[in-house]
């Protein structure tokens, strides 16, 4: 029996506080205030996605979340020269490179790392040199893992969207795909994170995967905050994650 207690970090994705704020064009609700509240509720980091169209998080939010919260900021962004310039200016704790299509409602899948290696290589180098821990948001897939390892990133984040949307037997298959990819990632020396679509009713099997050390969760927690409050939503997620670790 191993007595090692695995620490599983929870990152709160704050984007949709900004979505609600932007719906009326004013300053309320303020993502910075939500970040400070979530800090007191025990989250380990704040995640924010600066999109090309600035539909939720804006440049001024990035500066405030980076400087005024006192938690590590994980900046999600598309691999573009505009975004790399912003990231190197702020040098957030972490940068997660994600694919971005202008018309999509949300990040629909993982980065095609294998096909983008030449474009990603100088960006990864620049971001690492600026002091950010770089991760790639990928599908749980061996080809993507190998391409990520070849680029020299320290971290990959598995897109859990397909797992969350699948039902019955296909959900088990999706879970198995993430489980086996997490093992492969560890063999390749990559730290594993996971996120997208995670909620109270689907988080535990992902949290129980021993190689995964960080979950980034946004839409569900911000939505649930409407009903039970942000602190309570975070506490309940943390409790479910801890339960999953205890039995894994
Ligand atoms: N991780 C990454 C890399 C993301 O892009 C997102 C948001 O699309 C999340 C985690 C959080 O996803 P959700 O808002 O569905 O919890």
């Amino acid at each position: 029996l191993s007595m090692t207690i695995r620490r599983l970090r929870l990152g709160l994705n704050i984007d949709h506080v900004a979505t609600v704020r932007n719906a009326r064009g004013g300053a309320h609700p303020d993502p910075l205030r939500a970040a400070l509240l979530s800090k007191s509720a025990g989250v380990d980091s704040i995640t924010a996605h600066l999109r090309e169209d600035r539909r939720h998080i804006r440049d001024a939010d990035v500066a405030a979340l980076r400087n005024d919260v006192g938690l590590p900021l994980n900046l999600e962004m598309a691999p573009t020269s505009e975004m790399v310039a912003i990231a190197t200016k702020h040098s957030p704790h972490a940068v997660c490179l994600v694919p971005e299509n202008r018309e999509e409602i949300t990040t629909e899948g993982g980065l095609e790392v294998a096909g983008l290696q030449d474009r990603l290589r100088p960006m990864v180098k620049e971001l690492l040199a600026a002091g950010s821990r770089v991760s790639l948001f990928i599908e749980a897939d061996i080809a993507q893992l190998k391409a990520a390892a070849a680029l020299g990133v320290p971290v990959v984040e598995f897109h859990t969207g397909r797992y969350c949307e699948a039902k019955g037997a296909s959900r088990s298959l999706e879970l198995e795909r993430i489980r086996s990819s997490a093992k492969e990632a560890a063999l390749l020396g990559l730290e594993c994170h996971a996120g997208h679509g995670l909620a109270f009713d689907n988080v535990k099997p992902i949290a129980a995967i021993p190689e995964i050390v960080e979950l980034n969760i946004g839409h569900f927690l911000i939505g649930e905050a409407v009903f039970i409050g942000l602190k309570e939503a975070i506490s309940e997620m943390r409790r479910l994650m801890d339960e999953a670790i205890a039995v894994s």
Side-chain angles (χ1 to χ4, degrees):
L1 184 76
S2 163
M3 294 305 287
T4 316
I5 294 174
R6 181 164 65 97
R7 174 89 187 113
L8 177 60
R9 300 188 297 265
L10 172 60
L12 175 71
N13 182 315
I14 208 114
D15 293 347
H16 297 306
V17 177
T19 304
V20 176
R21 175 195 61 189
N22 296 356
R24 288 293 170 95
H28 182 80
D30 182 3
L32 176 64
R33 183 172 161 203
L36 290 166
L37 183 72
S38 66
K39 182 184 177 189
S40 64
V43 305
D44 299 285
S45 54
I46 299 295
T47 290
H49 184 176
L50 186 68
R51 280 182 170 269
E52 185 191 21
D53 64 8
R54 310 298 197 269
R55 71 173 75 149
H56 36 62
I57 293 296
R58 295 172 179 157
D59 301 64
D61 296 321
V62 174
L65 294 169
R66 162 73 178 82
N67 299 319
D68 303 335
V69 182
L71 282 176
L73 173 64
N74 173 35
L75 180 64
E76 291 176 1
M77 56 181 228
T80 64
S81 50
E82 183 205 7
M83 289 300 155
V84 171
I86 292 168
T88 52
K89 185 172 97 187
H90 294 291
S91 63
H93 167 77
V95 169
C96 180
L97 295 176
V98 304
E100 197 174 294
N101 302 316
R102 210 161 288 178
E103 303 303 328
E104 70 189 0
I105 293 170
T106 182
T107 310
E108 286 164 350
L111 260 187
E112 257 316 309
V113 187
L116 283 173
Q117 258 176 334
D118 289 343
R119 185 161 137 214
L120 292 174
R121 192 171 292 109
M123 295 187 180
V124 167
K125 206 173 151 195
E126 206 179 325
L127 293 165
L128 290 172
S132 295
R133 183 197 70 189
V134 179
S135 72
L136 303 179
F137 193 40
I138 60 171
E139 287 300 322
D141 172 78
I142 185 69
Q144 302 301 336
L145 281 169
K146 284 189 172 153
L151 277 173
V153 295
V155 180
V156 290
E157 178 160 329
F158 293 132
H159 195 303
T160 49
R162 274 164 57 175
Y163 155 78
C164 292
E165 278 167 25
K167 306 256 182 294
S170 63
R171 176 174 279 193
S172 310
L173 286 176
E174 290 296 337
L175 180 61
E176 194 41 48
R177 188 166 68 91
I178 297 169
R179 259 198 210 121
S180 57
S181 297
K183 281 202 183 75
E184 286 293 340
L187 292 173
L188 290 165
L190 293 162
E191 181 175 310
C192 275
H193 302 175
H196 202 97
L198 294 174
F200 292 157
D201 65 359
N202 61 27
V203 74
K204 286 174 98 173
I206 297 293
I209 297 172
E211 293 84 6
I212 292 180
V213 298
E214 179 175 312
L215 302 181
N216 286 302
I217 309 181
H219 183 265
F220 175 81
L221 286 175
I222 303 302
E224 195 62 13
V226 170
F227 303 110
I228 64 172
L230 186 56
K231 270 193 166 177
E232 291 72 11
I234 290 166
S235 302
E236 176 63 5
M237 189 60 82
R238 185 73 253 178
R239 190 185 68 74
L240 292 166
M241 287 162 60
D242 290 342
E243 261 182 26
I245 293 170
V247 298
S248 67

mmCIF file with all atom_site columns, all heavy atoms in Angstrom, residues 1-2 9-10 30 36 59 67 77 85 107 156 159 161 168 176 190 202 211 217 220 229 241:
data_model
loop_
_atom_site.group_PDB
_atom_site.id
_atom_site.type_symbol
_atom_site.label_atom_id
_atom_site.label_alt_id
_atom_site.label_comp_id
_atom_site.label_asym_id
_atom_site.label_entity_id
_atom_site.label_seq_id
_atom_site.pdbx_PDB_ins_code
_atom_site.Cartn_x
_atom_site.Cartn_y
_atom_site.Cartn_z
_atom_site.occupancy
_atom_site.B_iso_or_equiv
_atom_site.pdbx_formal_charge
_atom_site.auth_seq_id
_atom_site.auth_comp_id
_atom_site.auth_asym_id
_atom_site.auth_atom_id
_atom_site.pdbx_PDB_model_num
ATOM 1   N N   . LEU A 1 1   ? 0.853   -1.206 0.000   1.00 0.00 ? 1   LEU A N   1
ATOM 2   C CA  . LEU A 1 1   ? 0.000   0.000  0.000   1.00 0.00 ? 1   LEU A CA  1
ATOM 3   C C   . LEU A 1 1   ? 0.881   1.247  0.000   1.00 0.00 ? 1   LEU A C   1
ATOM 4   O O   . LEU A 1 1   ? 1.689   1.437  0.893   1.00 0.00 ? 1   LEU A O   1
ATOM 5   C CB  . LEU A 1 1   ? -0.911  -0.030 1.231   1.00 0.00 ? 1   LEU A CB  1
ATOM 6   C CG  . LEU A 1 1   ? -1.943  1.099  1.335   1.00 0.00 ? 1   LEU A CG  1
ATOM 7   C CD1 . LEU A 1 1   ? -3.113  0.875  0.389   1.00 0.00 ? 1   LEU A CD1 1
ATOM 8   C CD2 . LEU A 1 1   ? -2.440  1.203  2.763   1.00 0.00 ? 1   LEU A CD2 1
ATOM 9   N N   . SER A 1 2   ? 0.700   2.063  -1.001  1.00 0.00 ? 2   SER A N   1
ATOM 10  C CA  . SER A 1 2   ? 1.499   3.295  -1.063  1.00 0.00 ? 2   SER A CA  1
ATOM 11  C C   . SER A 1 2   ? 0.855   4.363  -0.180  1.00 0.00 ? 2   SER A C   1
ATOM 12  O O   . SER A 1 2   ? -0.351  4.562  -0.203  1.00 0.00 ? 2   SER A O   1
ATOM 13  C CB  . SER A 1 2   ? 1.561   3.777  -2.509  1.00 0.00 ? 2   SER A CB  1
ATOM 14  O OG  . SER A 1 2   ? 1.967   5.121  -2.525  1.00 0.00 ? 2   SER A OG  1
ATOM 15  N N   . ARG A 1 9   ? -4.182  19.572 -8.251  1.00 0.00 ? 9   ARG A N   1
ATOM 16  C CA  . ARG A 1 9   ? -4.491  21.002 -8.197  1.00 0.00 ? 9   ARG A CA  1
ATOM 17  C C   . ARG A 1 9   ? -5.792  21.307 -8.955  1.00 0.00 ? 9   ARG A C   1
ATOM 18  O O   . ARG A 1 9   ? -6.105  20.642 -9.948  1.00 0.00 ? 9   ARG A O   1
ATOM 19  C CB  . ARG A 1 9   ? -3.343  21.819 -8.811  1.00 0.00 ? 9   ARG A CB  1
ATOM 20  C CG  . ARG A 1 9   ? -2.003  21.621 -8.105  1.00 0.00 ? 9   ARG A CG  1
ATOM 21  C CD  . ARG A 1 9   ? -0.953  22.606 -8.632  1.00 0.00 ? 9   ARG A CD  1
ATOM 22  N NE  . ARG A 1 9   ? -0.652  22.424 -10.041 1.00 0.00 ? 9   ARG A NE  1
ATOM 23  C CZ  . ARG A 1 9   ? 0.356   21.695 -10.527 1.00 0.00 ? 9   ARG A CZ  1
ATOM 24  N NH1 . ARG A 1 9   ? 1.166   21.053 -9.716  1.00 0.00 ? 9   ARG A NH1 1
ATOM 25  N NH2 . ARG A 1 9   ? 0.543   21.607 -11.833 1.00 0.00 ? 9   ARG A NH2 1
ATOM 26  N N   . LEU A 1 10  ? -6.484  22.332 -8.478  1.00 0.00 ? 10  LEU A N   1
ATOM 27  C CA  . LEU A 1 10  ? -7.682  22.813 -9.164  1.00 0.00 ? 10  LEU A CA  1
ATOM 28  C C   . LEU A 1 10  ? -7.435  24.233 -9.655  1.00 0.00 ? 10  LEU A C   1
ATOM 29  O O   . LEU A 1 10  ? -7.156  25.138 -8.860  1.00 0.00 ? 10  LEU A O   1
ATOM 30  C CB  . LEU A 1 10  ? -8.892  22.792 -8.213  1.00 0.00 ? 10  LEU A CB  1
ATOM 31  C CG  . LEU A 1 10  ? -10.179 23.456 -8.742  1.00 0.00 ? 10  LEU A CG  1
ATOM 32  C CD1 . LEU A 1 10  ? -10.676 22.793 -10.031 1.00 0.00 ? 10  LEU A CD1 1
ATOM 33  C CD2 . LEU A 1 10  ? -11.282 23.406 -7.676  1.00 0.00 ? 10  LEU A CD2 1
ATOM 34  N N   . ASP A 1 30  ? -16.850 41.496 -11.943 1.00 0.00 ? 30  ASP A N   1
ATOM 35  C CA  . ASP A 1 30  ? -15.423 41.678 -12.207 1.00 0.00 ? 30  ASP A CA  1
ATOM 36  C C   . ASP A 1 30  ? -14.664 40.355 -12.035 1.00 0.00 ? 30  ASP A C   1
ATOM 37  O O   . ASP A 1 30  ? -14.690 39.771 -10.948 1.00 0.00 ? 30  ASP A O   1
ATOM 38  C CB  . ASP A 1 30  ? -14.898 42.735 -11.218 1.00 0.00 ? 30  ASP A CB  1
ATOM 39  C CG  . ASP A 1 30  ? -13.429 43.052 -11.427 1.00 0.00 ? 30  ASP A CG  1
ATOM 40  O OD1 . ASP A 1 30  ? -12.823 42.502 -12.369 1.00 0.00 ? 30  ASP A OD1 1
ATOM 41  O OD2 . ASP A 1 30  ? -12.889 43.844 -10.636 1.00 0.00 ? 30  ASP A OD2 1
ATOM 42  N N   . LEU A 1 36  ? -10.198 36.617 -6.636  1.00 0.00 ? 36  LEU A N   1
ATOM 43  C CA  . LEU A 1 36  ? -9.839  36.803 -5.226  1.00 0.00 ? 36  LEU A CA  1
ATOM 44  C C   . LEU A 1 36  ? -10.723 35.936 -4.322  1.00 0.00 ? 36  LEU A C   1
ATOM 45  O O   . LEU A 1 36  ? -10.249 35.316 -3.371  1.00 0.00 ? 36  LEU A O   1
ATOM 46  C CB  . LEU A 1 36  ? -9.942  38.285 -4.848  1.00 0.00 ? 36  LEU A CB  1
ATOM 47  C CG  . LEU A 1 36  ? -8.856  39.178 -5.487  1.00 0.00 ? 36  LEU A CG  1
ATOM 48  C CD1 . LEU A 1 36  ? -9.211  40.656 -5.349  1.00 0.00 ? 36  LEU A CD1 1
ATOM 49  C CD2 . LEU A 1 36  ? -7.479  38.893 -4.875  1.00 0.00 ? 36  LEU A CD2 1
ATOM 50  N N   . ASP A 1 59  ? -7.344  42.395 -22.464 1.00 0.00 ? 59  ASP A N   1
ATOM 51  C CA  . ASP A 1 59  ? -5.932  42.623 -22.120 1.00 0.00 ? 59  ASP A CA  1
ATOM 52  C C   . ASP A 1 59  ? -5.778  43.152 -20.689 1.00 0.00 ? 59  ASP A C   1
ATOM 53  O O   . ASP A 1 59  ? -4.879  42.721 -19.952 1.00 0.00 ? 59  ASP A O   1
ATOM 54  C CB  . ASP A 1 59  ? -5.295  43.582 -23.131 1.00 0.00 ? 59  ASP A CB  1
ATOM 55  C CG  . ASP A 1 59  ? -5.375  43.013 -24.545 1.00 0.00 ? 59  ASP A CG  1
ATOM 56  O OD1 . ASP A 1 59  ? -6.508  42.832 -25.059 1.00 0.00 ? 59  ASP A OD1 1
ATOM 57  O OD2 . ASP A 1 59  ? -4.317  42.706 -25.124 1.00 0.00 ? 59  ASP A OD2 1
ATOM 58  N N   . ASN A 1 67  ? -1.205  40.250 -11.818 1.00 0.00 ? 67  ASN A N   1
ATOM 59  C CA  . ASN A 1 67  ? -0.491  41.047 -10.805 1.00 0.00 ? 67  ASN A CA  1
ATOM 60  C C   . ASN A 1 67  ? -1.225  41.214 -9.487  1.00 0.00 ? 67  ASN A C   1
ATOM 61  O O   . ASN A 1 67  ? -0.597  41.497 -8.476  1.00 0.00 ? 67  ASN A O   1
ATOM 62  C CB  . ASN A 1 67  ? -0.170  42.435 -11.378 1.00 0.00 ? 67  ASN A CB  1
ATOM 63  C CG  . ASN A 1 67  ? 0.723   42.331 -12.608 1.00 0.00 ? 67  ASN A CG  1
ATOM 64  O OD1 . ASN A 1 67  ? 1.648   41.527 -12.630 1.00 0.00 ? 67  ASN A OD1 1
ATOM 65  N ND2 . ASN A 1 67  ? 0.427   43.120 -13.631 1.00 0.00 ? 67  ASN A ND2 1
ATOM 66  N N   . MET A 1 77  ? -4.052  30.582 -24.707 1.00 0.00 ? 77  MET A N   1
ATOM 67  C CA  . MET A 1 77  ? -4.026  31.450 -25.901 1.00 0.00 ? 77  MET A CA  1
ATOM 68  C C   . MET A 1 77  ? -3.699  30.634 -27.143 1.00 0.00 ? 77  MET A C   1
ATOM 69  O O   . MET A 1 77  ? -3.134  29.548 -27.070 1.00 0.00 ? 77  MET A O   1
ATOM 70  C CB  . MET A 1 77  ? -2.984  32.550 -25.708 1.00 0.00 ? 77  MET A CB  1
ATOM 71  C CG  . MET A 1 77  ? -1.596  31.999 -25.402 1.00 0.00 ? 77  MET A CG  1
ATOM 72  S SD  . MET A 1 77  ? -0.388  33.302 -25.135 1.00 0.00 ? 77  MET A SD  1
ATOM 73  C CE  . MET A 1 77  ? 0.920   32.668 -26.218 1.00 0.00 ? 77  MET A CE  1
ATOM 74  N N   . ALA A 1 85  ? 3.525   37.810 -27.961 1.00 0.00 ? 85  ALA A N   1
ATOM 75  C CA  . ALA A 1 85  ? 4.029   39.117 -27.507 1.00 0.00 ? 85  ALA A CA  1
ATOM 76  C C   . ALA A 1 85  ? 3.360   39.518 -26.191 1.00 0.00 ? 85  ALA A C   1
ATOM 77  O O   . ALA A 1 85  ? 4.031   40.020 -25.271 1.00 0.00 ? 85  ALA A O   1
ATOM 78  C CB  . ALA A 1 85  ? 3.780   40.174 -28.585 1.00 0.00 ? 85  ALA A CB  1
ATOM 79  N N   . THR A 1 107 ? -13.471 25.969 -27.261 1.00 0.00 ? 107 THR A N   1
ATOM 80  C CA  . THR A 1 107 ? -12.337 25.246 -27.838 1.00 0.00 ? 107 THR A CA  1
ATOM 81  C C   . THR A 1 107 ? -12.769 23.814 -28.148 1.00 0.00 ? 107 THR A C   1
ATOM 82  O O   . THR A 1 107 ? -13.026 23.025 -27.248 1.00 0.00 ? 107 THR A O   1
ATOM 83  C CB  . THR A 1 107 ? -11.156 25.270 -26.855 1.00 0.00 ? 107 THR A CB  1
ATOM 84  O OG1 . THR A 1 107 ? -10.962 26.623 -26.436 1.00 0.00 ? 107 THR A OG1 1
ATOM 85  C CG2 . THR A 1 107 ? -9.890  24.762 -27.516 1.00 0.00 ? 107 THR A CG2 1
ATOM 86  N N   . VAL A 1 156 ? 1.437   18.714 -20.815 1.00 0.00 ? 156 VAL A N   1
ATOM 87  C CA  . VAL A 1 156 ? 0.314   18.637 -21.759 1.00 0.00 ? 156 VAL A CA  1
ATOM 88  C C   . VAL A 1 156 ? -0.986  18.668 -20.970 1.00 0.00 ? 156 VAL A C   1
ATOM 89  O O   . VAL A 1 156 ? -1.040  18.211 -19.825 1.00 0.00 ? 156 VAL A O   1
ATOM 90  C CB  . VAL A 1 156 ? 0.331   17.351 -22.629 1.00 0.00 ? 156 VAL A CB  1
ATOM 91  C CG1 . VAL A 1 156 ? 1.467   17.384 -23.641 1.00 0.00 ? 156 VAL A CG1 1
ATOM 92  C CG2 . VAL A 1 156 ? 0.380   16.091 -21.781 1.00 0.00 ? 156 VAL A CG2 1
ATOM 93  N N   . HIS A 1 159 ? -7.679  17.359 -23.513 1.00 0.00 ? 159 HIS A N   1
ATOM 94  C CA  . HIS A 1 159 ? -9.028  17.875 -23.751 1.00 0.00 ? 159 HIS A CA  1
ATOM 95  C C   . HIS A 1 159 ? -10.022 16.780 -23.341 1.00 0.00 ? 159 HIS A C   1
ATOM 96  O O   . HIS A 1 159 ? -10.052 15.711 -23.951 1.00 0.00 ? 159 HIS A O   1
ATOM 97  C CB  . HIS A 1 159 ? -9.170  18.214 -25.238 1.00 0.00 ? 159 HIS A CB  1
ATOM 98  C CG  . HIS A 1 159 ? -10.360 19.068 -25.562 1.00 0.00 ? 159 HIS A CG  1
ATOM 99  N ND1 . HIS A 1 159 ? -11.644 18.706 -25.242 1.00 0.00 ? 159 HIS A ND1 1
ATOM 100 C CD2 . HIS A 1 159 ? -10.461 20.267 -26.179 1.00 0.00 ? 159 HIS A CD2 1
ATOM 101 C CE1 . HIS A 1 159 ? -12.479 19.649 -25.647 1.00 0.00 ? 159 HIS A CE1 1
ATOM 102 N NE2 . HIS A 1 159 ? -11.784 20.615 -26.214 1.00 0.00 ? 159 HIS A NE2 1
ATOM 103 N N   . GLY A 1 161 ? -13.310 17.063 -23.397 1.00 0.00 ? 161 GLY A N   1
ATOM 104 C CA  . GLY A 1 161 ? -14.634 17.324 -23.968 1.00 0.00 ? 161 GLY A CA  1
ATOM 105 C C   . GLY A 1 161 ? -15.329 16.087 -24.510 1.00 0.00 ? 161 GLY A C   1
ATOM 106 O O   . GLY A 1 161 ? -16.524 15.877 -24.257 1.00 0.00 ? 161 GLY A O   1
ATOM 107 N N   . GLY A 1 168 ? -22.481 6.192  -21.808 1.00 0.00 ? 168 GLY A N   1
ATOM 108 C CA  . GLY A 1 168 ? -22.403 4.739  -21.734 1.00 0.00 ? 168 GLY A CA  1
ATOM 109 C C   . GLY A 1 168 ? -21.044 4.183  -22.108 1.00 0.00 ? 168 GLY A C   1
ATOM 110 O O   . GLY A 1 168 ? -20.013 4.648  -21.629 1.00 0.00 ? 168 GLY A O   1
ATOM 111 N N   . GLU A 1 176 ? -10.772 5.538  -21.061 1.00 0.00 ? 176 GLU A N   1
ATOM 112 C CA  . GLU A 1 176 ? -9.615  4.653  -21.218 1.00 0.00 ? 176 GLU A CA  1
ATOM 113 C C   . GLU A 1 176 ? -8.543  5.312  -22.093 1.00 0.00 ? 176 GLU A C   1
ATOM 114 O O   . GLU A 1 176 ? -7.342  5.163  -21.844 1.00 0.00 ? 176 GLU A O   1
ATOM 115 C CB  . GLU A 1 176 ? -10.068 3.316  -21.807 1.00 0.00 ? 176 GLU A CB  1
ATOM 116 C CG  . GLU A 1 176 ? -9.048  2.203  -21.710 1.00 0.00 ? 176 GLU A CG  1
ATOM 117 C CD  . GLU A 1 176 ? -8.295  2.155  -20.375 1.00 0.00 ? 176 GLU A CD  1
ATOM 118 O OE1 . GLU A 1 176 ? -8.945  2.219  -19.309 1.00 0.00 ? 176 GLU A OE1 1
ATOM 119 O OE2 . GLU A 1 176 ? -7.048  2.073  -20.388 1.00 0.00 ? 176 GLU A OE2 1
ATOM 120 N N   . LEU A 1 190 ? 6.326   13.950 -19.506 1.00 0.00 ? 190 LEU A N   1
ATOM 121 C CA  . LEU A 1 190 ? 5.422   15.107 -19.580 1.00 0.00 ? 190 LEU A CA  1
ATOM 122 C C   . LEU A 1 190 ? 4.489   15.138 -18.370 1.00 0.00 ? 190 LEU A C   1
ATOM 123 O O   . LEU A 1 190 ? 3.905   14.109 -18.011 1.00 0.00 ? 190 LEU A O   1
ATOM 124 C CB  . LEU A 1 190 ? 4.573   15.016 -20.857 1.00 0.00 ? 190 LEU A CB  1
ATOM 125 C CG  . LEU A 1 190 ? 5.323   15.174 -22.176 1.00 0.00 ? 190 LEU A CG  1
ATOM 126 C CD1 . LEU A 1 190 ? 4.479   14.625 -23.340 1.00 0.00 ? 190 LEU A CD1 1
ATOM 127 C CD2 . LEU A 1 190 ? 5.674   16.630 -22.421 1.00 0.00 ? 190 LEU A CD2 1
ATOM 128 N N   . ASN A 1 202 ? -18.989 14.250 -13.542 1.00 0.00 ? 202 ASN A N   1
ATOM 129 C CA  . ASN A 1 202 ? -18.046 13.513 -14.400 1.00 0.00 ? 202 ASN A CA  1
ATOM 130 C C   . ASN A 1 202 ? -16.589 13.675 -13.982 1.00 0.00 ? 202 ASN A C   1
ATOM 131 O O   . ASN A 1 202 ? -15.692 13.127 -14.628 1.00 0.00 ? 202 ASN A O   1
ATOM 132 C CB  . ASN A 1 202 ? -18.231 13.910 -15.877 1.00 0.00 ? 202 ASN A CB  1
ATOM 133 C CG  . ASN A 1 202 ? -17.973 15.397 -16.113 1.00 0.00 ? 202 ASN A CG  1
ATOM 134 O OD1 . ASN A 1 202 ? -17.224 16.031 -15.389 1.00 0.00 ? 202 ASN A OD1 1
ATOM 135 N ND2 . ASN A 1 202 ? -18.588 15.947 -17.139 1.00 0.00 ? 202 ASN A ND2 1
ATOM 136 N N   . GLU A 1 211 ? -1.652  9.935  -12.915 1.00 0.00 ? 211 GLU A N   1
ATOM 137 C CA  . GLU A 1 211 ? -0.638  10.818 -13.529 1.00 0.00 ? 211 GLU A CA  1
ATOM 138 C C   . GLU A 1 211 ? -1.126  12.260 -13.671 1.00 0.00 ? 211 GLU A C   1
ATOM 139 O O   . GLU A 1 211 ? -0.326  13.152 -13.946 1.00 0.00 ? 211 GLU A O   1
ATOM 140 C CB  . GLU A 1 211 ? -0.237  10.294 -14.921 1.00 0.00 ? 211 GLU A CB  1
ATOM 141 C CG  . GLU A 1 211 ? 0.517   8.968  -14.897 1.00 0.00 ? 211 GLU A CG  1
ATOM 142 C CD  . GLU A 1 211 ? -0.414  7.770  -14.831 1.00 0.00 ? 211 GLU A CD  1
ATOM 143 O OE1 . GLU A 1 211 ? -1.663  7.959  -14.917 1.00 0.00 ? 211 GLU A OE1 1
ATOM 144 O OE2 . GLU A 1 211 ? 0.084   6.639  -14.672 1.00 0.00 ? 211 GLU A OE2 1
ATOM 145 N N   . ILE A 1 217 ? -11.057 23.976 -14.659 1.00 0.00 ? 217 ILE A N   1
ATOM 146 C CA  . ILE A 1 217 ? -12.514 23.889 -14.793 1.00 0.00 ? 217 ILE A CA  1
ATOM 147 C C   . ILE A 1 217 ? -13.109 25.294 -14.760 1.00 0.00 ? 217 ILE A C   1
ATOM 148 O O   . ILE A 1 217 ? -12.767 26.096 -13.888 1.00 0.00 ? 217 ILE A O   1
ATOM 149 C CB  . ILE A 1 217 ? -13.114 23.026 -13.651 1.00 0.00 ? 217 ILE A CB  1
ATOM 150 C CG1 . ILE A 1 217 ? -12.370 21.676 -13.554 1.00 0.00 ? 217 ILE A CG1 1
ATOM 151 C CG2 . ILE A 1 217 ? -14.616 22.818 -13.873 1.00 0.00 ? 217 ILE A CG2 1
ATOM 152 C CD1 . ILE A 1 217 ? -12.891 20.745 -12.477 1.00 0.00 ? 217 ILE A CD1 1
ATOM 153 N N   . PHE A 1 220 ? -18.706 25.093 -15.984 1.00 0.00 ? 220 PHE A N   1
ATOM 154 C CA  . PHE A 1 220 ? -19.628 24.481 -15.023 1.00 0.00 ? 220 PHE A CA  1
ATOM 155 C C   . PHE A 1 220 ? -19.598 25.219 -13.682 1.00 0.00 ? 220 PHE A C   1
ATOM 156 O O   . PHE A 1 220 ? -20.655 25.492 -13.088 1.00 0.00 ? 220 PHE A O   1
ATOM 157 C CB  . PHE A 1 220 ? -19.303 22.993 -14.805 1.00 0.00 ? 220 PHE A CB  1
ATOM 158 C CG  . PHE A 1 220 ? -20.164 22.379 -13.744 1.00 0.00 ? 220 PHE A CG  1
ATOM 159 C CD1 . PHE A 1 220 ? -21.457 21.961 -14.033 1.00 0.00 ? 220 PHE A CD1 1
ATOM 160 C CD2 . PHE A 1 220 ? -19.720 22.289 -12.429 1.00 0.00 ? 220 PHE A CD2 1
ATOM 161 C CE1 . PHE A 1 220 ? -22.278 21.456 -13.033 1.00 0.00 ? 220 PHE A CE1 1
ATOM 162 C CE2 . PHE A 1 220 ? -20.539 21.777 -11.432 1.00 0.00 ? 220 PHE A CE2 1
ATOM 163 C CZ  . PHE A 1 220 ? -21.828 21.356 -11.742 1.00 0.00 ? 220 PHE A CZ  1
ATOM 164 N N   . GLY A 1 229 ? -23.476 29.599 -5.319  1.00 0.00 ? 229 GLY A N   1
ATOM 165 C CA  . GLY A 1 229 ? -22.382 30.509 -4.955  1.00 0.00 ? 229 GLY A CA  1
ATOM 166 C C   . GLY A 1 229 ? -21.040 29.953 -5.412  1.00 0.00 ? 229 GLY A C   1
ATOM 167 O O   . GLY A 1 229 ? -20.855 28.741 -5.509  1.00 0.00 ? 229 GLY A O   1
ATOM 168 N N   . MET A 1 241 ? -12.995 15.873 -5.924  1.00 0.00 ? 241 MET A N   1
ATOM 169 C CA  . MET A 1 241 ? -11.637 15.532 -6.370  1.00 0.00 ? 241 MET A CA  1
ATOM 170 C C   . MET A 1 241 ? -10.892 14.783 -5.270  1.00 0.00 ? 241 MET A C   1
ATOM 171 O O   . MET A 1 241 ? -10.223 13.776 -5.530  1.00 0.00 ? 241 MET A O   1
ATOM 172 C CB  . MET A 1 241 ? -10.874 16.817 -6.759  1.00 0.00 ? 241 MET A CB  1
ATOM 173 C CG  . MET A 1 241 ? -11.350 17.434 -8.077  1.00 0.00 ? 241 MET A CG  1
ATOM 174 S SD  . MET A 1 241 ? -10.851 19.176 -8.292  1.00 0.00 ? 241 MET A SD  1
ATOM 175 C CE  . MET A 1 241 ? -9.068  19.070 -8.233  1.00 0.00 ? 241 MET A CE  1
#
